[in-house]
Amino acid sequence: SDTSDTVKMKDENGTVTNLVGGGGSSALNLENSQATEATTTSATETDLLTVASLSIAATKPFMIWAIIRTSDNAIKFGLKLNTTQVMTAKAMLGTGSAVLWAYVGPRVTDQLRALTGWLEYGTTSGTGSLAFFSSTAADHPTATITQVTLTADSNGSATAGADELRVYEMATS
């Protein structure tokens, strides 16, 4: 059986890079994760799931992955870096579970809202759909990122849930 924990990528020159695992340096390093589901039925935006004990310098880009779920079309999800709300809750269309992914760029002078991501949600007439989002609420903190928090607004009538929140720091060279 395959017991390797390495994911590799080969570039156009044939150079192989460890994306995750394999010892030594990797392109993606798991900084921390939260694998316990959290839910809310709050009528206002509230903290849902947090990954703490991070240490991501301002010059380092990072990625955020999570599984989210809803019991109603009205559920919205947002994002905080440290305690700064960088993305207010955005609508998640459809009922069911989805993947949330976000890329946060280095937080350098005049580049303090470099965040983009997507939600893959439910089905509409049998086909999946994507909802894209970006950072619009505030500039990102220039201090070391020590926590990432998913927020949710379920309008008080439905359940919003999140699980398997992971934060990966990306290599810069």
Side-chain angles (χ1 to χ4, degrees), residues 20-74:
V20 179
S25 63
S26 298
L28 297 175
N29 291 306
L30 178 64
E31 287 297 309
N32 208 348
S33 62
Q34 173 56 272
T36 301
E37 185 184 45
T39 61
T40 186
T41 55
S42 176
T44 59
E45 189 167 6
T46 188
D47 291 357
L48 181 62
L49 194 61
T50 298
V51 171
S53 300
L54 302 173
S55 183
I56 302 174
T59 57
K60 294 283 191 170
F62 61 99
M63 291 192 300
I64 301 162
W65 291 91
I67 299 170
I68 56 177
R69 70 177 177 90
T70 68
S71 64
D72 188 273
N73 292 343

Side-chain angles (χ1 to χ4, degrees), residues 45-49 64 66 68 75-81 84-92 100 102 115 119 133-134 137 148-153 160 162 165:
E45 189 167 6
T46 188
D47 291 357
L48 181 62
L49 194 61
I64 301 162
I68 56 177
I75 307 294
K76 300 176 183 179
F77 292 91
L79 184 66
K80 289 181 181 178
L81 301 178
T84 303
Q85 183 93 38
V86 298
M87 184 184 83
T88 55
K90 306 287 184 189
M92 178 184 171
L100 177 142
L115 179 147
L119 305 169
F133 56 83
S134 60
V148 170
T149 302
L150 287 179
T151 62
D153 177 353
L165 177 59

Side-chain angles (χ1 to χ4, degrees), residues 62-145:
F62 61 99
M63 291 192 300
I64 301 162
W65 291 91
I67 299 170
I68 56 177
R69 70 177 177 90
T70 68
S71 64
D72 188 273
N73 292 343
I75 307 294
K76 300 176 183 179
F77 292 91
L79 184 66
K80 289 181 181 178
L81 301 178
N82 293 341
T83 58
T84 303
Q85 183 93 38
V86 298
M87 184 184 83
T88 55
K90 306 287 184 189
M92 178 184 171
L93 306 176
T95 300
S97 61
V99 172
L100 177 142
W101 170 83
Y103 167 83
V104 181
R107 296 161 327 276
V108 296
T109 304
D110 297 327
Q111 305 294 327
L112 296 176
R113 293 193 183 199
L115 179 147
T116 190
W118 48 258
L119 305 169
E120 181 283 318
Y121 58 87
T123 58
T124 304
S125 301
T127 60
S129 302
L130 289 178
F132 294 93
F133 56 83
S134 60
S135 182
T136 58
D139 286 349
H140 300 180
T142 56
T144 298
I145 297 297

